[in-house]
């Protein structure tokens, strides 16, 4: 699958640089531009009909226009580019308007890299499903697409698993895995502070939902061990 192309829109140069660096750390994403004003963002997206950008990381508090006005301008121009709001705006009216304008995620500042990565990974999952050929087979397929964007509901996890710990395991797996190498349950346990048995349960769950791959780890003394890598 080709990388998801991202335009970062942030008026503070240091924050723009940080958001771009965060984006480049997430597998499958690449920054194709940075804009510090609303007008620069709209101009970049209108060039080539926005075909060079898949996702906009949009700050709402811009010096020339509000981020919602950027969304309105894009939709009025017929652009279907996806928007992830990265903002400190907490007004519920702003949030409701963002939803009505098709903003896929809303991430409040300040945030951790783990929270940022979770939003991007969920967006990538949603995009992969949305771009698949054919039709949805049933209502549950539609529900799964929306659930991917909104996050994993606690009741949808197997008994004994919770979303917060699952996200910690996923983060540890993403941080600790490298090309051709993964992490064992013991290593995930050490990285997250949960027991090895619990780590293995979460890792096996990720394998069952096709979010991780289990492979034998060769060359270890004693009983053969398996390792896990994010898919």
């Amino acid at each position: 699958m080709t990388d998801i192309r991202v335009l970062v829109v942030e008026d503070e140069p240091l924050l723009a640089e940080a958001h771009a660096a965060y984006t480049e750390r997430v597998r499958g994403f690449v920054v194709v531009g940075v804009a510090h004003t609303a007008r620069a963002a709209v101009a970049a997206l209108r060039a080539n009909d926005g075909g060079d950008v898949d996702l906009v990381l949009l700050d709402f508090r811009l010096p020339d226009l509000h981020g919602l006005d950027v969304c309105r301008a894009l939709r009025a121009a017929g652009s279907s580019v996806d928007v992830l709001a990265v903002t400190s705006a907490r007004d519920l009216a702003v949030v409701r308007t963002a939803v009505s304008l098709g903003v896929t995620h809303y991430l409040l500042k300040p945030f951790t890299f783990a929270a940022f990565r979770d939003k991007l990974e969920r967006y990538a999952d949603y995009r992969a499903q949305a771009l698949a050929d054919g039709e949805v087979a049933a209502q549950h397929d539609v529900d799964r697409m929306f659930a991917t964007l909104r996050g994993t509901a606690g009741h949808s996890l197997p008994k004994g698993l919770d979303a917060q710990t699952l996200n910690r395991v996923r983060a540890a797996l993403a941080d600790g895995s490298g090309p051709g190498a993964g992490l064992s349950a013991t290593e995930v346990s050490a990285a997250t502070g949960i027991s090895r048995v619990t780590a293995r349960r979460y890792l096996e769950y990720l394998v069952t939902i096709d979010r991780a791959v289990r492979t034998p780890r060769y060359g270890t003394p004693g009983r053969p061990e398996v390792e896990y890598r994010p898919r």
Side-chain angles (χ1 to χ4, degrees):
M1 182 181 295
T2 58
D3 286 341
I4 295 172
R5 300 161 298 181
V6 179
L7 174 67
V8 176
V9 183
E10 168 63 58
D11 64 316
E12 294 288 342
L14 288 178
L15 285 180
E17 183 179 342
H19 295 171
Y22 271 9
T23 301
E24 293 282 358
R25 288 175 60 187
V26 182
R27 184 179 306 175
F29 288 82
V30 60
V31 175
V32 295
V34 177
H36 299 296
T37 66
R39 288 181 175 85
V42 171
L45 290 165
R46 282 180 175 168
N48 300 319
D49 294 325
D52 293 334
V53 177
D54 302 309
L55 177 67
V56 181
L57 301 187
L58 180 63
D59 179 27
F60 278 179
R61 302 183 187 277
L62 298 169
D64 50 349
L65 286 173
H66 194 280
L68 290 177
D69 293 322
V70 175
C71 293
R72 291 189 182 97
L74 293 175
R75 300 313 180 215
S79 173
S80 59
V81 68
D82 291 321
V83 176
L84 193 164
V86 182
T87 179
S88 58
R90 297 171 180 266
D91 191 315
L92 283 176
V94 173
V95 177
R96 287 194 297 270
T97 304
V99 172
S100 72
L101 290 170
V103 172
T104 60
H105 282 99
Y106 200 103
L107 182 59
L108 284 173
K109 300 176 182 176
F111 51 82
T112 64
F113 173 63
F116 181 85
R117 177 177 52 202
D118 181 66
K119 296 296 184 187
L120 290 194
E121 288 180 342
R122 292 192 188 284
Y123 171 75
D125 288 348
Y126 160 78
R127 182 176 172 82
Q129 296 175 52
L131 294 181
D133 293 331
E135 298 180 351
V136 293
Q139 179 65 44
H140 67 80
D141 292 321
V142 178
D143 293 341
R144 186 175 68 250
M145 287 181 64
F146 278 92
T148 299
L149 280 177
R150 304 309 174 203
T152 303
H155 65 268
S156 68
L157 292 172
K159 185 177 180 180
L161 303 188
D162 66 83
Q164 183 176 1
T165 304
L166 180 63
N167 287 336
R168 286 165 55 200
V169 170
R170 288 183 61 191
L173 203 59
D175 287 341
S177 300
L183 294 180
S184 67
T186 301
E187 290 162 340
V188 171
S189 169
T192 58
I194 60 179
S195 72
R196 177 183 172 280
V197 172
T198 300
R200 186 177 181 85
R201 286 190 62 203
Y202 279 93
L203 290 166
E204 288 296 325
Y205 172 69
L206 289 174
V207 171
T208 64
I209 63 172
D210 204 31
R211 296 308 306 271
V213 180
R214 182 201 317 110
T215 56
R217 175 176 285 183
Y218 299 104
T220 55
R223 196 169 86 178
E225 195 169 17
V226 298
E227 64 182 23
Y228 301 84
R229 296 193 307 275
R231 183 181 287 277

